[in-house]
Amino acid sequence: MPQHRRTPAPSPARIRLATATAAAAALTGGLLVASVAPVSAATATERPATDFNGDGYADLVSTAPAATVGSASRAGAVVVLYGSASGVGTSHRKVISQNTSGVPGAAEKNDVFGDAVATGDFNRDGYTDLAVGARGEDVGSDADGGTVALVWGSASGLGSATTVSDPSPSSHDGYGQALAAGDFDGDGDTDLAVGSSATSVTIRKGPFTKSGSTGGTSTRSTAVQGNGHGVYDLAAGDVNGDGTADLAVGGMFTGFVYQSGPDGLALAATLNDGDQSDRRGFAFGDVTGDGYDDFVFGDPYDLNDSPEGGGSVSLYRGGADGISADPDQHVDQGTAGVPGADEYEDAFGGAVSVGDIDGDGYADVAVGSSDESIGAAATTGQVLVLKGAPAGLATSGIQVVHQNTSGVPDTNDDLDRFGWAVSLTDVNADGHADLFVGAQHENAGNGALWYLKGRSSGITTSGAVSYGPSTVGVSTAGTPAFGSGLTD
């Protein structure tokens, strides 16, 4: 079995957001209740899950964890694109690094600030905040100890930040290499789950304050295998509708879903992928339209269920009793109706995102297949969009998007890895999730981001745009890998 080592940029599976749907947003410290933040006409019924400036439009974060900042290579940065009635663009954006005024620390070589991100209203002021991990940060004499910063939302958007200190720095490295936000104890405050090289997950309890205090700390032991790799992937949602967040955890070889209950998080499903990879797709959202979050699991190097090892996506349906131990549906490129073929290391399922594109009440799923070869372009990548339905993921009418698709800017080239990250986010509040696609190796490692709007007919390539690092204010020195990760 081949080993899939870390690439210069992190996995988008570690960049899953706790609030993939409005139901999950209810877990994040009151985003759906009255707040002091201004509400625009765009918010007729509810606030978007990720709204840093409280204007009623969802915002998007795209990471560049290998960006050079000042003279520090691979220091890392994140780019915020603010939503509006016309969507997102480069005129209303912000680049945040550890050299940004008000952000603790300093940009240093190999910090990889932005290696993981998560969003939630951590201090309950009505504005979404951004948690940013930097797994390579040296903390005092602790080399690569890792750190997490909370960048606070406000009426003017993201601004100052506060460090979420590591409660056990001597027991692991890479603190912040995976993040997820949600109310894991059901007290109404947004908590932050943090992964590191340890096999356990540290849960920093809310509320958080700008002075650095938290509501406490707990540790969730997991069945993740050790060998110093620890927890790579985290995602949160609510599969049983109890108002308390459930947690998906991934590590080398293994993945698990822990479901909330009276006694806390209990193991509900084991994701037996068995692959030597730090890359998976985790997402929660209501694909079947029954009011419960479903769990979507992407296994990009599936050597168990996809016969040729091209990758797969599995759906675990939510319900009043939560999810079952085994998936309700399994889809790969060998499944009837799915375009393409199940080919070794296509990485189908390396990134997944859930959102309702056509506004029919069923969340759709974008699936990245970043290592797909198309024509003569090897490992150029593509994205497949599968519609949600009462029975699960529909395997007919699947949309396929890549850089040679009519209307999509640029062209397929070797090693672009289009689809390394995907996000379905409604940034113009029109009721249709828009598709964002990251290609972490576009232009020899510069990376790039594509924006395609959602319509009642699905994703449209009309008016599609792309952004490279220089267009959003990120240095192209080295290999910034812009678009490596996206918030949902």
Side-chain angles (χ1 to χ4, degrees):
M1 182 182 297
Q3 294 196 6
H4 302 281
R5 302 297 186 186
R6 287 184 183 272
T7 62
S11 163
R14 299 200 302 275
I15 307 178
R16 295 276 66 83
L17 178 64
T19 52
T21 64
L27 302 173
T28 58
L31 283 177
L32 301 183
V33 300
S35 69
V36 299
V39 179
S40 78
T43 56
T45 57
E46 61 188 32
R47 299 278 303 281
T50 302
D51 185 2
F52 301 122
N53 57 3
D55 65 355
Y57 295 97
D59 307 313
L60 183 92
V61 172
S62 179
T63 70
T68 296
V69 179
S71 60
S73 61
R74 292 178 54 81
V78 298
V79 177
V80 186
L81 300 174
Y82 292 99
S84 71
S86 58
V88 299
T90 59
S91 61
H92 193 194
R93 59 172 169 79
K94 183 172 184 177
V95 179
I96 300 173
S97 72
Q98 288 184 287
N99 279 4
T100 300
S101 177
V103 177
E108 299 164 321
K109 183 177 181 180
N110 293 329
D111 280 348
V112 288
F113 181 83
D115 188 47
V117 294
T119 69
D121 185 2
F122 294 107
N123 59 355
R124 302 201 71 178
D125 66 352
Y127 298 95
T128 307
D129 311 304
L130 177 68
V132 185
R135 63 175 167 84
E137 174 83 6
D138 294 338
V139 182
S141 60
D142 183 12
D144 298 328
T147 190
V148 177
L150 288 186
V151 189
W152 303 106
S154 70
S156 57
L158 292 174
S160 63
T162 302
T163 297
V164 180
S165 60
D166 185 349
S168 184
S170 62
S171 63
H172 52 244
D173 287 328
Y175 181 73
Q177 70 181 23
L179 299 171
D183 182 5
F184 299 109
D185 55 10
D187 65 355
D189 293 311
T190 304
D191 310 312
L192 182 65
V194 184
S196 68
S197 64
T199 58
S200 59
V201 176
T202 300
I203 297 179
R204 306 307 305 272
K205 297 182 179 180
F208 297 78
T209 69
K210 294 183 179 181
S211 64
S213 66
T214 73
T217 302
S218 66
T219 300
R220 171 70 221 186
S221 297
T222 74
V224 168
Q225 297 185 24
N227 301 321
H229 300 289
V231 173
Y232 288 136
D233 312 307
L234 290 171
D238 186 2
V239 297
N240 59 356
D242 66 353
T244 304
D246 310 305
L247 184 66
V249 180
M252 186 72 75
F253 303 105
T254 51
F256 307 91
V257 179
Y258 294 89
Q259 189 171 300
S260 60
D263 299 321
L265 292 168
L267 182 62
T270 298
L271 313 174
N272 288 315
D273 52 347
D275 305 315
Q276 299 183 43
S277 172
D278 63 348
R279 188 178 174 208
R280 289 173 186 82
F282 283 174
F284 288 88
D286 188 4
V287 174
T288 58
D290 62 358
Y292 297 94
D293 274 355
D294 306 305
F295 174 60
V296 180
F297 166 52
D299 181 2
Y301 304 113
D302 185 356
L303 295 173
N304 298 311
D305 296 310
S306 62
E308 302 301 325
S312 66
V313 171
S314 297
L315 178 71
Y316 293 74
R317 296 188 60 159
D321 295 325
I323 63 173
S324 62
D326 299 310
D328 297 277
Q329 185 179 16
H330 178 87
V331 177
D332 58 48
Q333 287 186 283
T335 301
V338 179
D342 180 21
E343 300 165 319
Y344 184 59
E345 292 193 341
D346 278 347
F348 177 84
V352 295
S353 184
V354 179
D356 187 357
I357 297 168
D358 54 12
D360 65 353
Y362 302 96
D364 310 305
V365 178
V367 181
S369 183
S370 63
D371 291 5
E372 179 83 21
S373 296
I374 301 172
T379 319
T380 190
Q382 65 181 12
V383 174
L384 290 79
V385 179
L386 286 69
K387 287 177 57 63
L393 295 171
T395 54
S396 61
I398 295 173
Q399 286 189 271
V400 179
V401 178
H402 50 75
Q403 291 179 78
N404 281 1
T405 301
S406 178
V408 177
D410 218 317
T411 188
N412 291 334
D413 296 305
D414 291 348
L415 294 174
D416 281 345
R417 286 187 159 164
F418 182 90
W420 183 266
V422 292
S423 175
L424 289 173
T425 302
D426 181 8
V427 292
N428 60 358
D430 67 352
H432 301 287
D434 307 304
L435 173 64
F436 293 86
V437 182
Q440 57 105 247
H441 204 263
E442 175 78 11
N443 293 329
N446 276 347
L449 174 67
W450 282 258
Y451 167 33
L452 297 87
K453 291 184 178 181
R455 294 285 188 267
S456 58
S457 57
I459 293 297
T460 178
T461 61
S462 176
V465 294
S466 65
Y467 310 109
S470 59
T471 62
V472 296
V474 172
S475 171
T476 56
T479 55
F482 175 62
S484 287
L486 302 170
T487 51
D488 284 333

